[in-house]
Amino acid sequence: MTQESLYVRRKPSYSAKLLELAPESFKAFGEFNKQALSAGALTVKQKELIAVAATHITGCPYCIEAHVGKAKAQEASLAELLEAIAIAAAVSAHGVVHHAANAAQAYESADGQDLYPISNIALNGQLQHGNPDQFASFGAYVEQVLLPGHLNAKDKQLVALGSALVIGNAYSIDSFTESAKQAGVSLQEVTETLLVAAALKAGASLAHRVNALQAYDKE
């Protein structure tokens, strides 16, 4: 017998079963999500571009479908969405690569040291000497996806910052916040990007309530 998909669509009444068990909490999240994705210093379209990138990091198919639809409603083109998704991929990889400094510390058994010293960013530069061609190609990759295209430079930096906040890598947050500031992103815009990232991380968990309920209801 073919197993039922874990991402099967359910009727609203099915997923609502969990909402009824914690109505105030779900209501509070719904209000936060609404405020986080409403127009402010950033437009709704900019926020939805950040959201689409974030959903591809959280891997929530429900969220991908919802926010692609919302971005499309804001007249975002498929080309713009694909650029946002490419940035999400590059920033995710950026976080992985920049953990190499932590790997070096672990390898050297550097007990008692701060796991995230600022000096680690410089250390990463030294680690590149181990395979310069590989690191150079990676740097070129990240640089390429951030070049203006269907999305302008500032919007790409906003998407990159939102992606960094979703993955939660301290080095990436430091790097992309600095880049965003240089691109003219204000502190208010940084704050709104942070809240979109927070809403999408929490939203991915809540969206999977269908899966939790489906698992609980198994015979």
Side-chain angles (χ1 to χ4, degrees):
M1 181 182 295
T2 302
Q3 184 177 351
E4 186 179 12
S5 170
L6 289 174
Y7 283 101
V8 66
R9 283 189 173 87
R10 292 287 192 174
K11 294 180 180 179
S13 59
Y14 181 76
S15 61
K17 288 171 67 175
L18 291 182
L19 273 65
E20 294 168 357
L21 298 176
E24 294 303 317
S25 295
F26 279 105
K27 180 181 178 181
F29 171 76
E31 188 57 33
F32 163 59
N33 187 66
K34 177 182 176 182
Q35 291 296 325
L37 289 159
S38 295
L42 300 179
T43 66
V44 174
K45 180 181 177 180
Q46 287 174 314
K47 290 187 174 186
E48 288 298 339
L49 288 167
I50 296 167
V52 168
T55 64
H56 282 76
I57 295 172
T58 63
C60 172
Y62 309 118
C63 305
I64 291 172
E65 183 176 54
H67 288 285
V68 166
K70 290 178 180 180
K72 183 177 179 180
Q74 294 298 315
E75 301 185 349
S77 68
L78 180 58
E80 289 176 319
L81 295 181
L82 291 175
E83 286 191 352
I85 293 166
I87 293 168
V91 174
S92 294
H94 183 277
V96 171
V97 168
H98 280 71
H99 273 308
N102 298 72
Q105 279 195 357
Y107 189 84
E108 297 297 335
S109 299
D111 294 332
Q113 292 189 19
D114 184 350
L115 289 176
Y116 278 91
I118 295 175
S119 60
N120 264 10
I121 296 176
L123 177 59
N124 243 331
Q126 298 173 25
L127 293 172
Q128 294 179 21
H129 298 305
N131 194 325
D133 291 340
Q134 180 174 290
F135 276 90
S137 64
F138 173 73
Y141 160 55
V142 176
E143 183 178 349
Q144 175 62 42
V145 298
L146 290 171
L147 291 175
H150 295 283
L151 296 177
N152 63 42
K154 181 178 178 180
D155 283 352
K156 285 198 167 187
Q157 289 296 336
L158 288 167
V159 171
L161 176 57
S163 298
L165 290 163
V166 171
I167 65 172
N169 179 282
Y171 306 121
S172 298
I173 292 170
D174 184 271
S175 177
F176 289 108
T177 301
E178 184 177 346
S179 297
K181 183 178 179 179
Q182 291 175 355
V185 174
S186 69
L187 185 58
Q188 180 64 39
E189 291 171 322
V190 169
T191 302
E192 292 188 11
T193 300
L194 165 66
L195 292 171
V196 173
L200 267 294
K201 287 192 77 169
S205 296
L206 289 180
H208 280 88
R209 66 183 180 272
V210 175
N211 301 80
L213 185 55
Q214 184 173 323
Y216 190 86
D217 282 349
K218 283 182 181 177
E219 295 296 333

